[in-house]
Amino acid sequence: MPLLGRSLLDTRILSAKDIDEIFLKADSMQLGRDAIPTGPAPVVCCLFFEPSTRTRMSFQMAAYRLGLEVLTMELSAGSSLSKGETATDTVLNFAAMNPDVLVVRYGSSRELDALLPMLKIPVLNAGSGTLAHPTQGLLDAYTLRAEWGGLSGKRILIFGDVLHSRVARSGFDVLTKLGAEIGVFGPEHLLPSDLNRSDLQPYGIRVFPSLDEALPWADACMGLRIQLERHDARSAAKSDSPSEHLSGSVAANYLSRYGLTVERLKLLKPEALILHPGPINHGVEFAPEVVEDSRSRVLAQVTNGVRIRAALLALILGR
Ligand code: CP
């Protein structure tokens, strides 16, 4: 599927061949300042209705490295959202200014899910509710491919709050298309209630009863934070975590039952890799020492995020 002039709202529209083409483009990206073409630069508009550090800054970094102009509306202050304007109207107004690409992050919104595919301007999904985070799924797979050369037959464990994770959903899709096997582990109330349901069934996901059993199986493991902002009252009530913040004792209990502790690091293969999409809650899903482990590729993911987003922008804009 050529991306020229197209949106990328979900990785499910991509074939394994498309993903490979994105990765080859990412491999070939010249991200130095001297690579910037001359002439009027296309404009990328970033609209983040939810907080972000990595995705937002790496889209901006990628765009600057390509010599594009970037407009980012600060939604927390100074936008008309504070006067009651809806997210849908905000997107429509931005689209009416005819930028060359829109980058949009948002929480669960049926209105935006329906609107974005209808826009005439290409849209890159920077994370939508619990549904999809295509650029994260691609950069995670790209990071593993950089280490292994390919993902065929590799076993990837995703653990933590899988239920509320758009990263996990895009990961299931991209990683399995590239031939990897997926395992998951997490507290029962934070796993999709039926991993055999139709949207997840094609992925053939293995559910592990414990992290101790799952870690020796994995060639790579990816931790997920508890996404409290997406927990509804029901899952919060079932949870042994409070709805707002994890207190010290609850965090310690979660880490010992479900998290990657220093002791559990010993269960991982010596050559296994450790990923996390961020933000990390140190002392909850990961012991503070985990990111220091030589097998951690957490910052390589961030570096590769710029490369993948630059590749997608370049493919969409035909640069
Ligand atoms: N991984 C990720 O989406 O991080 P941010 O929320 O900081 O963008």
Side-chain angles (χ1 to χ4, degrees):
M1 190 210 71
L3 275 170
L4 185 65
R6 300 277 299 270
S7 293
L8 179 62
L9 298 171
D10 198 308
T11 56
R12 285 181 291 183
I13 65 163
L14 300 173
S15 66
K17 185 165 167 283
D18 297 329
I19 294 169
D20 208 43
E21 275 170 26
I22 294 167
F23 287 176
L24 289 175
K25 185 74 175 173
D27 287 343
S28 74
M29 294 308 298
Q30 302 291 323
L31 297 178
R33 273 261 157 229
D34 50 354
I36 296 173
T38 52
V43 178
V44 179
C45 273
C46 296
L47 277 173
F48 279 68
F49 295 100
E50 283 191 333
S52 169
T53 296
R54 279 148 294 273
T55 312
R56 189 170 72 143
M57 297 308 287
S58 71
F59 263 117
Q60 293 188 358
M61 181 69 80
Y64 286 129
R65 292 297 196 202
L66 293 176
L68 309 177
E69 296 290 343
V70 185
L71 293 178
T72 300
M73 192 167 79
E74 298 300 337
L75 298 168
S76 53
S79 84
S80 289
L81 287 167
S82 64
K83 295 184 255 178
E85 186 161 35
T86 63
T88 299
D89 282 347
T90 304
V91 170
L92 283 170
N93 277 270
F94 257 68
M97 295 176 206
N98 286 317
D100 295 280
V101 181
L102 273 177
V103 176
V104 185
R105 165 172 289 193
Y106 58 102
S108 295
S109 164
R110 290 210 177 121
E111 291 79 14
L112 288 184
D113 292 342
L115 173 68
L116 295 180
M118 310 298 288
L119 294 178
K120 294 201 168 62
I121 294 162
V123 183
L124 278 163
N125 179 354
S128 52
T130 59
L131 293 181
H133 195 344
T135 58
Q136 184 72 45
L138 290 166
L139 77 88
D140 293 338
Y142 183 76
T143 301
L144 295 174
R145 170 188 170 274
E147 296 281 343
W148 296 331
L151 276 75
S152 186
K154 295 291 188 183
R155 294 165 161 183
I156 322 279
L157 171 71
I158 300 178
F159 68 93
D161 183 0
V162 179
L163 178 65
H164 300 96
S165 176
R166 53 195 176 204
V167 174
R169 269 174 188 68
S170 289
F172 294 160
D173 187 53
V174 175
L175 297 168
T176 54
K177 273 178 185 156
L178 299 180
E181 284 177 56
I182 305 283
V184 296
F185 168 72
E188 211 175 313
H189 66 280
L190 296 183
L191 291 178
S193 56
D194 183 0
L195 281 164
N196 291 322
R197 58 177 216 232
S198 58
D199 60 329
L200 298 175
Q201 208 168 23
Y203 304 129
I205 294 164
R206 177 167 173 186
V207 183
F208 282 92
S210 73
L211 200 48
D212 292 1
E213 218 169 295
L215 289 170
W217 171 88
D219 296 307
C221 68
M222 178 159 71
L224 300 171
R225 77 185 167 92
I226 307 175
Q227 293 136 83
L228 290 173
E229 72 277 20
R230 287 184 231 297
H231 287 208
D232 60 20
R234 239 177 62 225
S235 67
K238 274 195 225 160
S239 165
D240 49 11
S241 57
S243 59
E244 292 277 321
H245 299 286
L246 293 169
S247 70
S249 63
V250 174
N253 181 41
Y254 183 91
L255 177 64
S256 74
R257 291 180 68 184
Y258 308 113
L260 190 50
T261 57
V262 173
E263 274 307 301
R264 289 198 180 107
L265 277 174
K266 296 175 195 151
L267 298 174
L268 267 179
K269 293 174 190 166
E271 69 283 7
L273 300 173
I274 301 168
L275 304 182
H276 195 302
I280 298 172
N281 289 144
H282 296 281
V284 185
E285 68 273 16
F286 276 6
E289 295 83 355
V290 169
V291 290
E292 309 295 336
D293 191 281
S294 61
R295 294 166 289 184
S296 167
R297 295 293 180 275
V298 170
L299 290 180
Q301 289 173 270
V302 178
T303 304
N304 288 327
V306 177
R307 194 159 274 281
I308 284 291
R309 289 167 181 130
L312 289 168
L313 287 168
L315 286 167
I316 288 169
L317 292 168
R319 287 167 84 89

